[in-house]
Each structure stands twice: as structure tokens, then as C-alpha cells.
Amino acid sequence: MGQDIHGKTAYITGAGRGIGKATALKLAQEGVHVGLIARTESQLKQVAEEARTYGVQASIVPVDISNLNQVEAAVQHLKKELGPAQILINNAGIGTYGHFLEIEPEEWKKTFEINVYGTYHMTRAVLPHMIENNAGDIINISSSSGLKGTAGSTAYSASKFAVQGMTEALMQEVRRENIRVFTLNPSLVATELAFGEDLDDQDKEKYMQPEDLAEYMTAQLKLHPRIFIKQSLQWATNPF
Ligand SMILES: NC(=O)c1ccc[n+]([C@@H]2O[C@H](COP(=O)([O-])OP(=O)(O)OC[C@H]3O[C@@H](n4cnc5c(N)ncnc54)[C@H](OP(=O)(O)O)[C@@H]3O)[C@@H](O)[C@H]2O)c1
């Protein structure tokens, strides 16, 4: 009843580690060719190597998504190597935490430049082909902080609320072109962004794993093109 995603092409930002890496590898396992974007080339190379073991093409572009020119060049490169994206996963992001008055203005700005403008730049570069093809999937990784503010997350939460608004508005514009645009709103996932490198292995098991999110996204992408879940919160069952 659903659709086969085997043979499709996905561009994934933040694919060097964490949720992006797990998603790239899960999609590769499903036969999806993957274009991998993040700043750290060594991490992208490792992920690409592993993805290719599933028999798909994997291409990397080490760029900063907050830079519009770099993003446009990256998307041109991926188009040449893999063809245009049928799936875009806007996953790259940074966490900025602290009391409102303790976060420096530069940190606020950077949070928006990566989390909001990065998502905007990638979408702007990829969307015209999706419109031409009258099909496509854009998944924006927001956060539970994109729906609810909590103390210590003013910058992060504001950036994710912005992603939320942009996604909802764009979805209303392009659903007529059969393009599905939706957010995921995970609570804590055991990655470097949430826990740094300090979390010991035992504790990590209590929280959602990047692979859980990868599986969830893959399931959504396999839904029949006539349906999508436009927003969803992912929670760990028992993180106590
Ligand atoms: N972990 C959680 O608890 C959680 C919960 C809800 C939502 N999220 C969201 O999930 C997404 C992925 O987070 P994660 O936990 O997997 O984090 P992570 O492990 O820190 O990975 C983040 C990825 O984004 C890339 N990235 C960061 N800034 C970038 C930039 N300017 N240009 C290109 N790539 C950039 C990083 O690579 P480089 O540093 O090499 O560029 C890395 O590959 C984020 O949007 C985050 O807000 C996470």
C-alpha cells in the first residue's frame, strides 16, 4: 500500500554524526542514494564509506549550511553526482543553552543562522526540482523545543519555533504540488548535541537513540504519497 523508496535520492544535512548519520545509513540500507552534508569532512567520509556497503551511491559535501553560496554550490555538486533530491532531510542544527542574559548576541545569531537560515538555504536550493517533478519529501528536524519553551532554551527554542512556522507555511504552499513538508519534534535523543561526550553507556540506553528516529523517518517516507503526518512528537518511554 505504501511506496517503495528504493532507488530514490536523499540529501541529508548534519549527516556526519547523531541523527543525520543514523538516517543516512538507514536510508542507504533501504536502497536510497545519499548526499551527505556537514562541516566535518572526516565524519562524512566515514558515513559515505559505510553507506556504500549497502550498494548505493553516496556523495559528500563539507559545507556550512548557514552560508547560502556554499549551499548552492553543494546542491549543484550533488545534483551532478546523484541527480536532484527527491527527499531532503534538514537535520543539521546546533543546541544553544543558558540563561537568556548569559547567551551572547553572537551565539543567538549563530543559532538562527544554522538552525533557521540553514534549513531555509537548503530548501530554497532543492525545492525548484521537486516542484518540476510534482513530488518530493522535505523533513525538517525541529524539536520538542519547537512547540514548548523551557527555561534555559530561549535561543534554541526560538530557532525551532521559527523552523516550525516556516515548515507549516511552506507545507500549505506546496502540498498542491504533491510535496510533503513536515517536522519531527523529538524530545531527548542520545547524541553529542544533547549530552556532549559525557553520557556513560548505561545512561544512554534510557533515551531515544538516533537509530529510532531514523527508523521513524523511513517509515514516514514509505507512506503512500497521498498521506503524511505533518507534525509529530517523539518521546522516550521510560527515561527515569
Ligand atoms: N539530540 C537531541 O536530543 C535532539 C532533540 C530534538 C531535536 N534535535 C535536533 O536534531 C538535529 C540533529 O541533532 P543531533 O542530536 O544529531 O546533533 P549532533 O550529533 O551534534 O549532529 C549535528 C550534525 O549537524 C551538523 N552541523 C552543525 N552545524 C552545521 C552547519 N553550520 N553546517 C552543516 N552542518 C552542520 C554537524 O556536523 P559539523 O559540526 O561537522 O558541521 C553534525 O553532523 C538538530 O537539528 C537538533 O536540533 C536533537
Side-chain angles (χ1 to χ4, degrees):
M1 267 303 271
Q3 64 172 328
D4 190 6
I5 58 172
H6 192 273
K8 288 196 177 200
T9 295
Y11 299 172
I12 302 139
T13 69
R17 58 177 187 267
I19 298 167
K21 173 183 177 179
T23 306
L25 293 177
K26 175 69 184 164
L27 289 177
Q29 218 177 345
E30 297 281 338
V32 174
H33 307 295
V34 287
L36 311 174
I37 294 173
R39 292 167 300 187
T40 311
E41 187 169 12
S42 56
Q43 293 186 340
L44 291 179
K45 275 186 174 160
Q46 275 179 13
V47 178
E49 224 168 87
E50 201 175 331
R52 289 187 197 109
T53 64
Y54 297 112
V56 298
Q57 287 175 264
S59 186
I60 68 164
V61 223
V63 296
D64 183 339
I65 58 160
S66 68
N67 182 308
L68 176 61
N69 293 335
Q70 286 186 25
V71 165
E72 284 177 347
V75 168
Q76 280 307 325
H77 178 80
L78 291 178
K79 258 192 225 164
K80 266 192 216 130
E81 296 239 316
L82 305 172
Q86 287 138 322
I87 299 165
L88 169 63
I89 301 184
N90 280 313
N91 161 77
I94 57 165
T96 308
Y97 304 106
H99 189 279
F100 180 75
L101 292 176
E102 285 161 3
I103 302 172
E104 291 298 325
E106 271 312 306
E107 278 301 297
W108 256 83
K109 200 165 167 232
K110 192 172 157 206
T111 309
F112 269 71
E113 281 171 351
I114 297 176
N115 294 0
V116 185
Y117 280 88
T119 300
Y120 162 66
H121 293 155
M122 281 300 301
T123 305
R124 189 176 181 275
V126 160
L127 189 63
H129 260 100
M130 290 187 173
I131 293 174
E132 230 170 78
N133 292 343
N134 205 40
D137 280 295
I138 300 176
I139 307 182
N140 292 337
I141 312 299
S142 175
S143 168
S144 51
S145 302
L147 300 172
K148 184 177 185 287
T150 49
S153 74
T154 50
Y156 183 66
S157 204
S159 75
K160 293 297 187 179
F161 266 74
V163 166
Q164 211 64 38
M166 177 170 63
T167 307
E168 176 95 15
L170 180 64
M171 178 274 286
Q172 294 290 9
E173 282 183 32
V174 299
R175 58 191 288 224
R176 288 168 174 76
E177 267 105 4
N178 298 311
I179 298 165
R180 307 187 291 190
V181 189
F182 52 98
T183 55
L184 250 57
N185 298 83
S187 181
L188 278 185
V189 184
T191 69
E192 208 175 300
L193 178 143
F195 295 102
E197 286 159 12
D198 298 338
L199 196 70
D200 68 46
D201 284 347
Q202 210 186 345
D203 268 353
K204 242 183 183 166
E205 289 304 311
K206 298 196 298 194
Y207 299 98
M208 287 187 289
Q209 304 298 310
E211 291 74 17
D212 298 332
L213 273 288
E215 201 171 339
Y216 186 89
M217 276 185 255
T218 306
Q220 285 215 41
L221 290 167
K222 285 181 172 179
L223 287 174
H224 192 284
R226 69 181 160 235
I227 178 180
F228 70 108
I229 301 166
K230 80 180 183 73
Q231 179 187 302
S232 58
L233 268 160
Q234 293 74 36
W235 273 20
T237 309
N238 184 8
F240 308 104

